[in-house]
């Protein structure tokens, strides 16, 4: 897996100002003729009240100071913070606030891209990563909804049975390749990361095609059809 500094150097060989403050990344990078705003996390950050507010503040500042500038999320999160303090403060609304900040940025003309460069899990990934117009991953990135041993404890299904299911269905399986099959991840970036980023920026995709991608890739076969039936009725 890449460290965030190495990742930024490869994404922005023309130069960048990305810095870490605690477990939060902010700054800008030069990609071709464009300047890209960067927000993200490092060290498998658990996104709780404090990190969610820090990231939200960064997104609001981008909207105010760099109108319509593309925003790239660098994702490394173990999920939402599960501490008693964060849960008592109401962690879910803070994660929702972060997602809403990105959604408002989209309505204001900011292109939203994300790349998982280390780890992406559950609620932290939903509010920082999946909210993007398109989500990508680098080779070796780990993506999952929940670790299989934890899933086994919750569902009461034997771990061996879950492992067998994961070999036949990407819906349960961890790993970036399974999320590509589901359509949740656009693709795993291979080759020079600068060129991969430039290609993604050039697409300027504003349509949510994840259901259709999941159907065409055979990983999520029912969602697009169900959504079409709901719209028809």
């Amino acid at each position: 897996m890449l460290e965030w500094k190495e990742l930024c150097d490869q994404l922005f060989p023309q130069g960048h100002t990305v810095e870490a403050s605690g477990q939060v990344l902010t700054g800008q990078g030069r990609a071709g003729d464009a300047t890209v705003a960067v927000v993200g996390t490092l060290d498998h950050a658990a996104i709780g009240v404090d990190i969610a507010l820090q990231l939200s503040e960064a997104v609001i500042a981008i909207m105010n100071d760099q109108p319509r500038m593309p925003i790239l999320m660098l994702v490394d999160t173990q999920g939402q913070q599960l501490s008693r303090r964060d849960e008592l403060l109401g962690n879910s609304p803070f994660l929702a606030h972060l997602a809403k900040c990105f959604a408002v940025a989209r309505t204001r003309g900011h292109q939203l891209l994300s790349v998982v460069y280390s780890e992406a899990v559950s609620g932290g990934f939903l509010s920082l990563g999946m909210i993007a117009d398109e989500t990508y991953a680098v080779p070796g990135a780990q993506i999952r909804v929940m670790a299989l041993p934890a899933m086994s404890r919750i569902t009461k299904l034997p771990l061996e049975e879950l492992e067998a299911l994961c070999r036949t269905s990407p819906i349960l399986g961890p790993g970036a390749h399974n999320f590509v099959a589901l359509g949740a991840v656009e693709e795993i970036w291979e080759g020079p990361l600068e060129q991969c980023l430039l290609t993604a920026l050039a697409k300027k995709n504003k349509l949510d095609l994840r259901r259709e991608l999941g159907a065409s890739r055979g990983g999520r076969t029912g969602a697009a059809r169900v959504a079409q039936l709901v719209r028809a009725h």
Side-chain angles (χ1 to χ4, degrees), residues 100-193:
K100 288 176 183 177
C101 288
F102 283 119
V104 171
R106 181 185 290 110
T107 66
R108 294 191 177 186
H110 294 268
Q111 183 181 8
L112 304 178
L113 301 175
S114 66
V115 56
V116 180
Y117 70 96
S118 182
E119 181 179 38
V121 184
S122 67
F125 184 33
L126 292 175
S127 57
L128 179 73
M130 286 292 289
I131 190 66
D133 301 331
E134 290 183 339
T135 298
Y136 297 88
V138 301
Q142 298 298 315
I143 306 176
R144 62 183 184 273
V145 174
M146 184 182 293
L148 289 182
M151 195 182 299
S152 175
R153 290 193 296 271
I154 290 173
T155 63
K156 308 303 182 184
L157 293 173
L159 179 60
E160 296 76 13
E161 185 175 337
L162 287 174
E163 290 173 340
L165 286 170
C166 289
R167 287 192 287 271
T168 60
S169 173
I171 293 175
L172 292 175
H177 64 287
N178 280 320
F179 280 75
V180 170
L182 293 171
V185 171
E186 184 75 12
E187 65 177 318
I188 298 174
W189 279 349
E190 303 282 357
L193 293 184

Side-chain angles (χ1 to χ4, degrees), residues 4 10-12 29 35 39 45 48 53 69 78 108 120 122 124-125 131 146 164 166 174-175 177-178 202 204 214 229:
W4 71 267
Q10 292 189 33
L11 287 170
F12 308 112
T35 300
V39 296
L53 286 176
M69 181 179 287
Q78 63 181 274
R108 294 191 177 186
S122 67
F125 184 33
I131 190 66
M146 184 182 293
C166 289
H177 64 287
N178 280 320
K204 298 186 183 301
L229 289 172

Side-chain angles (χ1 to χ4, degrees), residues 56-108:
S56 299
E57 183 180 8
V59 177
I60 292 170
I62 293 167
M63 287 190 280
N64 289 334
D65 301 335
Q66 290 93 32
R68 304 183 68 84
M69 181 179 287
I71 300 175
L72 177 65
M73 308 168 209
L74 304 182
V75 182
D76 180 13
T77 173
Q78 63 181 274
Q80 66 269 37
Q81 177 61 263
L82 299 177
S83 72
R84 181 185 295 270
R85 168 186 175 271
D86 289 81
E87 291 298 324
L88 288 173
L89 287 171
N91 201 16
S92 296
F94 287 89
L95 291 172
H97 172 64
L98 173 59
K100 288 176 183 177
C101 288
F102 283 119
V104 171
R106 181 185 290 110
T107 66
R108 294 191 177 186

Side-chain angles (χ1 to χ4, degrees), residues 11-78:
L11 287 170
F12 308 112
Q14 298 180 65
H16 65 84
T17 61
V18 180
E19 295 181 344
S21 176
Q23 291 184 296
V24 171
L25 299 169
T26 56
Q28 296 181 5
R30 193 69 181 168
D33 296 330
T35 300
V36 178
V38 175
V39 296
T41 50
L42 68 150
D43 293 337
H44 312 319
I47 300 181
V49 170
D50 299 314
I51 290 180
L53 286 176
Q54 195 174 349
L55 289 166
S56 299
E57 183 180 8
V59 177
I60 292 170
I62 293 167
M63 287 190 280
N64 289 334
D65 301 335
Q66 290 93 32
R68 304 183 68 84
M69 181 179 287
I71 300 175
L72 177 65
M73 308 168 209
L74 304 182
V75 182
D76 180 13
T77 173
Q78 63 181 274

